[in-house]
């Protein structure tokens, strides 16, 4: 039977993480589900519920946003400050699982798990987000692009915990997220995250098609050079499809995922077209 | 290693020796003896275990009891203390939304929370608001009708 | 009788609604008995193996463990509704991955699971066969070596891995084909579907010092539980009492045995009450699923739009045990002509054993599968002949008085009204004006169907209590579909009292009359007839008393609303049920009791018109239905979405219209899941998606609000108040109608289910979009 702890500060939590078999409890949506299924038997459970510093969404003067690790998906989905390009993350949060689980799951818990079918990774990569980690040796930031290392594996060290996610300011623009699923709230077959700035910036990430989000500077540049051009969008989609490394699973085949990436990308662009000033 | 746990459920206090791994669902059903909340999948997908914690609907099967020591928990058995809850129950009955009944406790809790946050939901908002509660019997239509009826009565 | 007394036709909430709404309704998992142990099951790791040796010593020594049972503890008794091929627990051999091979009873569920993990079993692995066609090939590994010697209740034609076969033929098929101007011949595949009742299977067995066992379980029939447990454990039925708590859905999953035999074994072995609740994963993996079908349909018609000939050839994967497969095969074949006139038809097929989870009863009983092929061909022929698909169906629809395939008479037939209703309500004639959302194609599709309601044995006992109120006992398990309420309404109507005065007894094999089960849409009609007859008998007895009390002839009496019998034309002259019942209890005649039992025995095949080999079905009384769906397909992804649906069902008489609508709506959504997203997927021998995370049924967000249900009433002459069944028919044509709509929208025909985005997109691309 495990021991249970409710630290009041991040430092306390990090110290407790050093215990053998210790696991952090954020929303419980993943941790407790795995415990119930007998896949995980932690020796110590460290609840992050009482740590003030991990909560809340803060908007800074420069337009950047910090989302605390314990922010529930519902809070992210309903936050009005996340507009413009940040809509991408808001839309991603709003489609996770269902309204009840969105009251439980957290930014930190979900991002740390790095499930390739989950929604935040692609959105964070498209937004050029930074992941803030804290460990016994101090704090550091890693770009989201470098954070999702492999299936359920991140660049966090064993005793580091994710404290927040930071969205750098990208200026005005339009953000979009869509995932293709079998039923509402399911993990993604393919997801598309777009961050399109009025200044002409294009940042796309594809989720559900590999160990981490698929991202291509070349694809981004192709579209940035000719905004709104359908040919460029499809070509960009094909580049992304070639970079993708999807698997066959119960949701869809790898072949289908590759096939659908350019099509879903084109569909996404056609939806945001009117709102994307660069394309006008 | 067990520990003392004090939970406030439906306005009553329950004390128990629990393990860290014990879920809120286990506490509600086996310690408090409140069998209304159901175990349907133990993975947080089906919604049969949905209860309110601090007014928000959550999965009792994915909530550790130890994490709830200062929380205000409401289960389906607590709905009778609440006007809107009673209206919902009556509306569900009248609209024919109850078939096998296994999804109903969780569905009522999600519906109760929905009406709290959105007292006049549209049909689409109801459908999406309840999308975390699976029902295999009803096809959802009469459940949506019931929530709409209760919302209309609330407004009156 | 004034309108206030009308109970039949009332939109009454479930009698037990308040219990369910307040969380007080007790399901099997909610029951606790003093001294109760908890059970857990150990499943086979192999798809096919001989069990060589058990070592349970470590398990027995584990903390909290009180008893361990294996196949060594159960006799050679075998159960099975058609072919008795299944032991209480794997004995001698295991036949699918996950098959229960041992079970433990311990003080806590965790200790029981821990005990299971300590059981050591030596297996000798055998080659497994997972594909039904391969299973039927010469030299395939034999799954049931003793098949020839198994008891069978009909001529199954079993041999090798062929579980059973059926052939039904009517008319001169060769001549019929020659008359056809257009012929379609295609193959179809449908996938295995999980029932996904919200309540996982569970059972609780208690044993008294004399060895009598009381068993509560999630079930669709306390009598099937009793028969199955006693047959495989070779106990006299009088030694087992089966009861029913509330049941959280069945859809066929709980009709035959699940963990009951094992739980009884544990109770007997330990001498203590034992409760076993399956996890969701186990509920997927070890109980039963809905059959996958592989079939060929051939349909022929004349250019004037007359249907002429049909041929169907079906191969069904039955899994490791026969279960209800023989019934599903025969029924699917018998219904494969649909509600149409054909000059000639032949329907044949077989069920093959495979080393997978058994497949069994599932709402529709083979019809959702068979319609997927048959109803698409109806559309295709109509389109090939340039005839509107609805008009084509209308012209060929079976008319009142005409017989079903095989020759069975059809007494009431509201098919025409169903077709008319959905035509008008859906705006079918204006469907070409439907506008699709950007990036999507849109279309309407339809299907028609029929289903049966009369099957096997049932009964009812009605008693008038001392104060004139009523107890109704039918032994029919209400699995959520509302039978308690509907039967109480019939009883109340017959006595002109309010349904609140009727108590419905919970099914109890000790006290209830036999009821085959809540399945096959049969309770309203089959049990309803007994209810009306038994209640009528109570009324007759009451009138006898009243005639003596009022000193007049029985013919001068009339039943008055509110529990009174009076003299016609003399409003002041009457006696209450209470007065009658008191007299009966204390003075004369004995307490009023009415009972009625019967078995539906009409043959389904008229030997003057048709021939049948291996046809165990004895079912009849037909309900009819018509369905139109409005569907959109996203061109980028192939994803299909149902926007609206109109489903009209002829139920003879809607005893409780709200309950009927609930069945139509719920069946539609279960059919929509079958059509679009649900599939049990095997990865080799292992079920790869036994979780709700991976097996997806529609949520409320995936389901349109506009599922419009319409009740048509073509009263069945001998139905209770004219009623027929409604539980399954709403599912039958859904997948076919959606496939027809997809074809109308895109020009693409799909012959495999489910219609996943991948399947649809590939077909769209091949078709050239």
């Amino acid at each position: 039977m495990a021991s249970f702890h409710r630290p009041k500060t991040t430092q306390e939590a990090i110290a407790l993480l050093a215990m053998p078999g210790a696991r952090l409890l954020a929303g419980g949506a993943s941790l407790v589900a795995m415990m119930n299924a007998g896949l995980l038997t932690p020796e110590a459970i460290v609840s992050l519920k009482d740590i003030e510093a991990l909560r809340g969404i803060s908007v800074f003067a420069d337009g950047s946003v910090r989302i605390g690790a314990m922010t529930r998906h519902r809070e992210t989905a309903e936050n009005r400050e996340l507009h413009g390009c940040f809509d991408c993350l808001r839309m991603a949060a709003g489609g996770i699982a269902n309204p009840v689980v969105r009251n439980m799951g957290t930014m930190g818990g979900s991002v740390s798990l790095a499930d390739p079918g989950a929604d935040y990774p692609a959105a964070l990569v498209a937004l050029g987000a930074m992941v803030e980690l804290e460990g016994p040796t101090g704090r550091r930031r890693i770009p989201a692009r470098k954070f999702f290392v492999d299936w359920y594996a991140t660049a966090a060290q064993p005793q580091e915990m994710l404290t927040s996610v930071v969205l750098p300011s990208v200026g005005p623009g339009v953000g979009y997220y869509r995932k293709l699923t079998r039923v509402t709230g399911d993990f993604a077959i393919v997801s598309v995250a777009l961050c399109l700035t009025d200044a002409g910036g294009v940042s796309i990430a594809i989720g559900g098609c590999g160990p981490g989000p698929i991202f291509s500077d070349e694809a981004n540049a192709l579209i940035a050079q000719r905004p709104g051009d359908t040919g460029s969008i499809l070509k960009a989609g094909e580049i992304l499809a070639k970079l993708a490394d999807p698997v066959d699973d119960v949701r869809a085949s790898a072949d289908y995922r590759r096939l659908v990436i350019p099509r879903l990308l084109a569909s996404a662009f056609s939806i945001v077209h009117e709102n994307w000033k660069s394309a006008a | 290693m067990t520990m003392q746990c004090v939970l406030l459920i439906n306005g009553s206090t329950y004390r128990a020796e629990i393990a860290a791994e014990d879920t809120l669902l286990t506490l509600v059903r086996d310690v408090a003896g409140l069998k209304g909340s159901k175990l349907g999948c133990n993975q947080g997908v089906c919604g049969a275990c949905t209860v309110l914690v601090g007014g928000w609907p959550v999965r009792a099967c994915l909530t550790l009891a130890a994490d709830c020591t200062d929380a205000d928990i409401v289960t389906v058995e607590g709905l009778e203390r609440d006007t809107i809850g009673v209206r919902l129950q009556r509306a569900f009955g009248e609209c024919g939304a109850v078939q096998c009944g296994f999804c109903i406790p969780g569905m009522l809790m999600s519906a109760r929370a929905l009406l709290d946050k959105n007292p006049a939901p549209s049909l689409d908002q109801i459908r999406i608001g309840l999308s975390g509660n699976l029902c295999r019997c009803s096809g959802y239509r009469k459940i949506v009708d019931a929530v709409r009826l209760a919302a209309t009565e609330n407004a009156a | 009788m004034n309108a206030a007394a009308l109970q039949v036709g009332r939109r009454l909430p479930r009698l037990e609604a308040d219990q369910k709404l307040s969380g007080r309704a007790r399901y099997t998992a909610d029951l606790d008995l003093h001294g109760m142990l908890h059970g857990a099951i150990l499943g086979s790791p192999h798809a096919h193996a001989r069990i060589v040796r058990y070592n349970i010593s470590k398990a027995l020594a584990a903390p909290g463990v009180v008893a361990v049972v294996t196949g060594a503890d159960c006799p050679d008794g075998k159960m099975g509704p058609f072919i008795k091929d299944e032991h209480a627990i794997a004995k001698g051999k295991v036949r699918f991955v996950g098959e229960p091979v041992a079970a433990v009873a311990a003080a806590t569920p965790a200790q029981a699971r821990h005990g299971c993990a300590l059981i050591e079993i030596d297996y000798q692995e055998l080659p497994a066969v997972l594909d039904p066609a391969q299973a039927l090939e010469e030299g395939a590994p034999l799954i049931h070596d003793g098949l020839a010697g198994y008891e069978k209740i009909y001529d199954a034609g079993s041999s090798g891995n062929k579980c059973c076969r059926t052939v039904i033929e009517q008319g001169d098929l060769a001549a019929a084909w020659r008359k056809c101007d257009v012929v379609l011949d295609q193959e179809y595949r449908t996938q295995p579907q999980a029932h996904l009742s919200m309540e996982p299977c569970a059972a609780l067995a208690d044993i008294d010092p004399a060895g009598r066992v009381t068993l509560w379980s999630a079930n669709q029939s306390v009598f099937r539980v009793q028969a199955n447990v006693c047959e495989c454990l070779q106990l006299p039925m009088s030694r087992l009492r089966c009861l029913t708590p509330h049941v959280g859905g069945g859809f066929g999953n709980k009709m035959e045995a699940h963990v009951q035999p094992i739980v009884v074994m544990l109770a007997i072995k330990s001498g203590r009450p034992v409760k076993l609740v399956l996890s969701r994963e186990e509920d997927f993996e070890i109980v039963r699923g809905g059959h996958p079908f592989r079939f060929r349909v051939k349909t022929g018609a004349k250019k004037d739009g007359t249907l002429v000939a049909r041929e169907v050839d079906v191969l069904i994967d039955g899994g490791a045990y026969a279960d209800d497969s023989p019934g599903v095969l025969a029924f699917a074949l018998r219904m494969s002509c649909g509600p149409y006139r054909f000059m000639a038809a032949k329907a044949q097929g077989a069920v093959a054993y495979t080393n997978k989870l058994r497949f069994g009863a599932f709402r529709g009983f083979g019809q959702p599968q068979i319609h997927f092929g048959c109803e698409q061909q109806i559309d295709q022929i109509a389109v090939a002949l340039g005839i509107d698909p609805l008009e084509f169906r209308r012209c060929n629809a079976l008319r009142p008085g005409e017989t079903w395939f095989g020759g069975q008479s059809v007494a009431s037939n509201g098919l025409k009204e169903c077709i008319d209703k959905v035509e008008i309500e859906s705006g079918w004639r204006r469907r070409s004006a439907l506008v699709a959302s950007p990036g999507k194609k849109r279309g309407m599709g339809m299907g028609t169907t029929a289903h049966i309601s009369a099957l096997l044995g049932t009964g009812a006992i009605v008693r008038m209590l001392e104060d004139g109120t009523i107890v109704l006992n039918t032994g029919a398990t209400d699995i959520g579909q509302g039978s308690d309420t509907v039967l109480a309404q019939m009883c109340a109507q017959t006595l002109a009292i309010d349904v609140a005065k009727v108590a419905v007894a919970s099914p109890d094999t000790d006290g209830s009359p036999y009821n085959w089960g809540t399945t096959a849409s049969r309770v309203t009609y089959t049990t309803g007839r007994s209810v009306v007859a038994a209640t009528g008998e109570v009324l007759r007895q009451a009138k006898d008393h009243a005639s003596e009390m009022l000193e007049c002839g029985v013919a001068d009496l009339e039943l008055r609303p509110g529990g009174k019998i009076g003299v016609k034309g003399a409003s002041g002259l009457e006696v209450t049920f209470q007065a009658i019942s008191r007299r009966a209890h204390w003075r004369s005649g004995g307490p009023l009791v009415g009972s009625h039992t019967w078995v539906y025995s009409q043959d389904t095949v008229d030997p003057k018109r048709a021939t049948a080999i291996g046809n165990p079905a004895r079912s009849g009384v037909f309900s009819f239905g018509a369905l139109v769906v409005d569907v959109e397909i996203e061109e980028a992804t192939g994803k299909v979405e149902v926007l609206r649906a109109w489903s009209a069902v002829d139920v003879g008489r809607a005893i409780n219209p709200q309950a009927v609508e609930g069945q139509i709506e719920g069946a539609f959504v279960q059919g929509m899941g079958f059509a679009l997203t649900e599939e049990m997927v095997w990865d080799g021998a292992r079920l790869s998606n036994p979780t709700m995370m991976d097996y997806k049924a529609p949520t409320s967000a995936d389901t349109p609000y506009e599922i419009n249900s319409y009740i048509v009433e073509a009263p069945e002459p001998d139905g209770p108040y004219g009623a027929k069944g409604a539980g399954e028919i709403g599912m039958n044509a859904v997948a076919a109608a959606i496939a027809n709509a997809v074809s109308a929208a895109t020009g693409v025909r799909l012959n495999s289910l489910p219609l996943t985005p991948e399947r649809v997109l590939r077909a769209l691309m091949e078709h050239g979009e």
Side-chain angles (χ1 to χ4, degrees):
Chain A
M1 275 199 266
S3 60
F4 191 84
H5 311 266
R6 276 175 84 155
K8 299 280 180 283
T9 67
T10 321
Q11 286 69 33
E12 273 179 62
I14 289 163
L16 288 165
L17 249 189
M19 291 187 295
R23 300 293 295 223
L24 296 175
L25 172 64
S30 303
L31 179 69
V32 182
M34 287 197 271
M35 286 166 62
N36 287 349
L39 296 170
L40 264 184
T41 30
E43 290 170 54
I45 298 168
V46 180
S47 166
L48 302 177
K49 198 170 209 171
D50 294 337
I51 303 178
E52 196 63 55
L54 295 177
R55 288 195 226 131
I57 298 177
S58 327
V59 183
F60 298 105
D62 65 354
S64 65
V65 173
R66 180 183 177 274
I67 301 174
M70 281 301 281
T71 307
R72 312 280 172 178
H73 303 324
R74 182 201 78 244
E75 294 172 293
T76 305
E78 288 177 358
N79 192 295
R80 297 286 154 105
E81 316 260 26
L82 296 173
H83 54 74
C85 288
F86 297 160
D87 267 338
C88 174
L89 185 66
R90 210 180 41 74
M91 291 171 80
I96 296 174
N98 58 69
V100 179
V101 170
R102 292 198 282 277
N103 291 327
M104 303 179 71
T106 63
M107 177 65 69
S110 176
V111 171
S112 304
L113 183 62
D115 186 321
D119 297 293
Y120 287 144
L124 293 175
V125 165
L127 290 172
M130 303 295 284
V131 174
E132 288 195 330
L133 301 165
E134 192 170 329
T137 52
R139 294 183 190 165
R140 63 189 181 113
R141 283 187 175 194
I142 304 181
R145 266 181 95 164
K146 300 217 155 58
F147 186 70
F148 304 103
V149 165
D150 207 340
W151 298 89
Y152 303 96
T154 71
Q157 293 301 304
Q159 277 171 56
E160 278 181 316
M161 63 177 278
L162 191 153
T163 52
S164 74
V165 150
V166 174
L167 312 179
S169 171
V170 293
V174 69
Y176 178 82
Y177 182 87
R178 182 201 164 176
K179 64 178 168 180
L180 174 65
T181 56
R182 294 175 295 172
V183 299
T184 307
D186 196 5
F187 288 106
I189 293 173
V190 177
S191 64
V192 174
L194 297 182
C195 171
L196 309 170
T197 70
D198 288 350
V202 173
S203 181
I204 304 165
I206 302 291
C209 292
I214 312 300
F215 191 92
S216 159
D217 292 322
E218 189 193 346
N220 292 338
L222 253 177
I223 297 176
Q225 273 153 30
R226 305 176 65 184
D229 171 54
T230 10
S232 305
I233 292 169
L234 278 172
K235 252 211 201 94
E238 275 151 32
I239 292 170
L240 290 162
K242 271 216 185 68
L243 288 171
D245 182 21
V247 294
D248 294 327
D249 65 19
V250 68
R251 292 183 275 280
S253 72
D255 278 348
Y256 174 73
R257 287 169 149 116
R258 276 189 219 98
L259 178 64
V260 141
I261 288 170
R263 302 170 73 96
L264 213 52
L265 190 66
S267 165
F269 269 99
S270 73
I271 289 169
V272 300
H273 188 85
E274 272 173 33
N275 297 330
W276 185 26
K277 298 223 165 61
S278 284
Chain B
M1 180 209 304
T2 59
M3 52 200 193
Q4 260 285 320
C5 173
V6 177
L7 292 182
L8 180 66
I9 306 175
N10 300 332
S12 297
T13 307
Y14 295 89
R15 289 188 165 72
E17 282 291 318
I18 60 161
E21 296 88 344
D22 286 340
T23 64
L24 179 61
L25 185 63
T26 306
L27 264 286
V28 161
R29 287 177 58 80
D30 299 341
V31 170
L34 300 166
K35 302 288 188 183
S37 308
K38 304 299 182 198
L39 179 60
C41 73
N42 223 16
Q43 269 195 326
V45 181
C46 74
C49 70
T50 305
V51 298
L52 300 181
V53 175
W56 295 103
V58 297
R59 306 296 206 218
C61 75
L62 295 184
T63 304
L64 293 184
D67 223 22
C68 294
T69 47
D70 34 29
D72 174 24
I73 299 160
V74 181
T75 69
V76 65
E77 290 90 346
L79 281 182
E80 63 192 10
R81 298 154 69 220
D82 159 43
T83 321
I84 297 177
V86 169
R87 274 208 188 104
L88 267 172
Q89 287 170 318
R90 202 171 53 226
F92 268 61
E94 269 175 46
C95 290
V98 180
Q99 292 196 34
C100 86
F102 205 80
C103 78
I104 289 296
M107 192 71 77
L108 282 170
M109 303 320 286
S110 287
R112 179 67 191 85
L114 172 67
L115 290 183
D116 219 24
K117 314 300 173 204
N118 185 354
S122 65
L123 280 183
D124 273 350
Q125 284 171 330
I126 297 173
R127 282 196 310 119
I128 290 162
L130 296 181
S131 59
N133 292 82
L134 284 177
C135 173
R136 198 51 160 164
C137 293
S138 72
Y140 302 107
R141 174 157 170 149
K142 289 177 174 5
I143 292 176
V144 172
D145 284 341
V147 176
R148 182 167 51 165
L149 175 61
T152 314
E153 284 175 356
N154 286 342
Chain C
M1 200 181 309
N2 63 31
L6 274 176
Q7 305 300 311
V8 162
R10 236 177 109 182
R11 298 179 70 88
L12 197 63
R14 297 284 196 274
L15 295 178
E16 75 285 357
D18 284 343
Q19 282 184 65
K20 290 173 174 172
L21 290 163
S22 64
R24 288 187 179 79
R26 291 281 175 268
Y27 300 78
T28 306
D30 303 326
L31 303 176
D32 290 313
L33 290 176
H34 180 71
M36 185 175 82
L37 299 171
H38 296 269
I41 285 174
L42 176 68
S44 162
H46 303 296
H48 199 198
R50 280 193 207 294
I51 300 168
V52 173
R53 184 175 31 249
Y54 302 102
N55 184 349
I56 65 171
S57 53
K58 292 198 187 107
L60 277 172
V65 171
V66 174
V68 177
V69 296
T70 68
D73 295 291
C74 72
D76 194 36
K78 292 187 281 291
M79 58 182 166
F82 294 92
I83 297 171
K84 300 195 186 295
D85 62 359
E86 188 164 0
H87 292 111
I89 194 168
K91 190 174 174 69
K93 233 184 155 185
V94 289
R95 295 181 173 87
F96 67 94
V97 170
E99 181 176 4
V101 71
V104 171
T108 71
Q111 286 172 334
R113 282 192 298 273
H114 179 61
C116 283
L118 296 174
I119 296 172
E120 294 162 351
I121 304 183
D122 292 341
Y123 295 95
Q124 180 207 3
E125 265 188 271
L126 299 168
V129 59
L130 303 170
D131 178 275
Q134 282 171 21
L136 295 181
E137 282 168 11
E138 193 71 36
L142 272 186
I143 297 171
H144 285 273
D145 316 60
L147 181 58
Y150 291 165
E151 187 187 336
K152 302 170 192 74
I153 67 156
Y154 77 113
D155 158 39
S158 321
S159 75
N161 286 324
K162 181 160 57 174
C163 170
C164 58
R165 57 85 187 90
T166 297
V167 184
I168 307 171
E169 258 188 281
Q170 180 169 359
D172 183 346
L173 202 52
W177 289 125
R178 284 194 294 275
K179 286 193 158 62
C180 298
D181 296 312
V182 56
V183 173
L184 264 181
D185 188 348
Q186 284 173 347
E187 295 192 352
Y188 304 88
R189 275 191 182 223
T190 66
Q191 81 288 26
Q193 185 178 18
H195 301 76
L196 208 67
S197 305
M198 293 310 295
E199 180 203 17
C201 291
L204 164 61
D206 193 10
I207 184 162
D208 73 15
R212 191 154 201 263
V213 177
T214 304
L215 176 64
W216 295 261
S217 69
N219 72 85
Q220 292 177 229
S221 169
V222 290
F223 294 92
R224 287 306 301 149
V225 174
Q226 186 186 47
N228 280 321
V229 172
C230 291
E231 278 174 14
C232 62
L233 295 183
Q234 291 180 337
L235 299 171
M237 287 194 189
S238 52
R239 220 179 116 191
L240 174 65
R241 179 182 183 197
C242 296
L243 301 170
T244 261
H246 285 284
V247 180
F251 313 108
N253 201 18
K254 295 168 173 150
M255 181 56 193
E256 297 295 325
H258 43 81
V259 300
Q260 299 98 332
I262 291 171
V263 171
V264 170
M265 284 175 73
L266 286 171
I268 291 173
K269 196 83 187 271
S270 64
R272 306 251 305 259
V274 178
K275 179 165 80 172
L276 203 164
V277 180
L278 290 184
S279 69
R280 178 56 62 180
E281 289 74 15
E282 286 169 328
D283 196 85
F284 272 109
E285 285 172 329
I286 75 175
V287 183
R288 53 187 54 82
H291 292 87
F293 271 43
R294 254 177 245 178
F295 58 110
R296 180 176 158 242
V297 181
K298 193 173 165 191
T299 311
K302 289 197 275 211
K303 60 176 178 282
D304 70 356
T306 312
L307 282 171
V308 177
R310 167 156 288 163
E311 212 173 323
V312 164
D313 198 335
V314 175
L315 174 59
I316 299 178
D317 184 343
Y321 294 97
D323 202 276
D324 266 320
S325 299
V328 171
L329 170 67
F331 185 66
L333 294 178
R334 202 157 71 83
M335 304 305 276
S336 62
C337 283
Y340 308 111
R341 275 186 306 288
F342 280 97
M343 221 180 92
K346 180 177 180 184
Q348 63 183 345
V351 175
Y353 283 114
T354 61
N355 288 116
K356 295 204 288 295
L357 172 68
R358 70 183 81 59
F359 297 103
F362 193 116
R363 196 178 209 165
F365 223 64
Q367 292 235 69
Q369 296 93 321
I370 214 81
H371 275 60
F372 178 66
C374 295
E375 278 299 284
Q376 283 202 79
Q377 289 202 350
I378 296 294
D379 248 44
Q380 286 171 276
I381 288 185
V383 167
L385 293 174
I387 303 172
D388 178 281
L390 188 141
E391 205 49 50
F392 184 87
R393 286 178 171 86
R394 176 179 275 144
C395 295
N396 288 283
L398 208 62
R399 291 181 292 249
E402 292 177 331
T403 58
W404 196 262
F405 172 44
Q408 191 169 26
S409 59
V410 177
S412 68
N413 176 345
L415 178 58
K416 177 189 177 306
E417 289 79 2
C418 290
I419 294 174
D420 291 345
K421 189 67 176 172
V422 296
E423 179 185 32
I424 291 168
E425 297 293 335
S426 68
W428 176 264
R429 297 209 170 273
R430 296 181 304 280
R431 66 194 186 286
S432 56
L434 286 173
V435 176
S437 312
K440 297 193 179 173
K441 289 237 161 78
R442 186 169 177 183
M444 271 192 183
M446 73 166 299
T448 57
T449 183
H451 209 85
I452 54 86
S453 324
L455 188 48
L456 294 175
T458 193
I461 298 171
V462 176
R463 290 164 38 235
M464 187 179 288
L465 299 175
E466 281 177 73
D467 67 350
T469 58
I470 301 293
V471 177
L472 169 62
N473 194 339
T474 66
T477 300
D478 191 326
I479 56 174
Q481 88 287 22
S483 52
D484 280 2
T485 307
V486 165
L487 296 174
Q489 284 176 262
M490 288 183 200
C491 178
Q493 175 85 7
T494 307
L495 292 173
I497 58 176
D498 192 277
V499 76
K501 304 272 201 240
V502 178
V504 179
S506 187
D508 176 350
T509 53
D510 270 7
S512 298
Y514 178 81
N515 193 313
W516 177 56
T518 298
T519 185
S521 306
R522 68 185 285 277
V523 174
T524 297
Y525 173 83
T526 319
T527 305
R529 274 183 58 168
S530 272
V531 168
V532 172
T535 311
E537 174 55 25
V538 166
L539 180 58
R540 193 196 59 72
Q541 292 170 20
K543 279 185 169 169
D544 278 349
H545 280 275
S547 97
E548 286 174 23
M549 292 159 84
L550 295 166
E551 292 174 327
C552 65
V554 168
D556 298 324
L557 292 170
E558 64 181 8
L559 177 64
R560 292 179 184 164
K564 294 184 270 252
I565 296 175
V567 179
K568 287 179 193 162
S571 62
L573 279 176
E574 61 183 24
V575 284
T576 64
F577 282 3
Q578 182 172 60
I580 289 169
S581 196
R582 282 222 179 102
R583 181 178 192 264
H585 274 79
W586 300 104
R587 293 265 307 279
S588 151
L592 272 54
V593 182
S595 74
H596 178 270
T597 68
W598 73 296
V599 144
Y600 180 83
S601 60
Q602 206 197 127
D603 279 318
T604 61
V605 173
D606 176 354
K608 291 194 290 295
R609 296 170 189 259
T611 63
I613 303 169
N615 178 28
R618 273 179 117 85
S619 61
V621 179
F622 293 80
S623 300
F624 292 87
L627 171 68
V628 171
V629 295
D630 174 9
V631 152
E632 267 190 347
I633 302 99
E634 186 180 22
E635 295 174 277
T637 62
K639 186 161 183 189
V640 177
E641 187 189 348
V642 175
L643 301 179
R644 300 177 293 169
W646 301 264
S647 182
V649 177
D650 162 28
V651 297
R653 176 81 187 272
I655 307 294
N656 185 329
Q658 198 178 63
V660 173
E661 289 162 8
Q663 289 304 295
I664 297 174
E665 291 155 14
F668 179 83
V669 175
Q670 205 165 28
M672 195 177 79
F674 177 58
L676 300 178
T677 60
E678 295 183 43
E679 183 171 6
M680 296 174 85
V681 179
W682 265 264
D683 178 14
R686 214 180 46 86
L687 178 58
S688 70
N689 61 341
T691 72
M692 283 189 171
M693 207 64 101
D694 293 329
Y695 180 95
K696 289 306 193 189
T699 68
S700 59
D702 304 296
T703 305
Y705 175 77
E706 280 206 65
I707 301 166
N708 304 294
S709 52
Y710 305 99
I711 293 170
V712 167
E713 291 179 326
E716 180 67 23
D718 63 8
Y721 293 96
K724 302 184 281 193
E728 294 167 276
I729 191 168
M731 182 162 174
N732 291 350
V734 181
I738 292 174
N740 284 338
V742 168
S743 177
T746 65
V748 149
R749 275 283 160 199
L750 289 136
N751 292 356
S752 285
L753 283 178
L755 304 181
T756 58
E758 179 160 5
R759 276 207 175 97
V760 174
L761 182 60
R762 291 209 185 277
L764 286 173
M765 291 173 77
E766 255 172 73
H767 188 253
E769 296 184 66

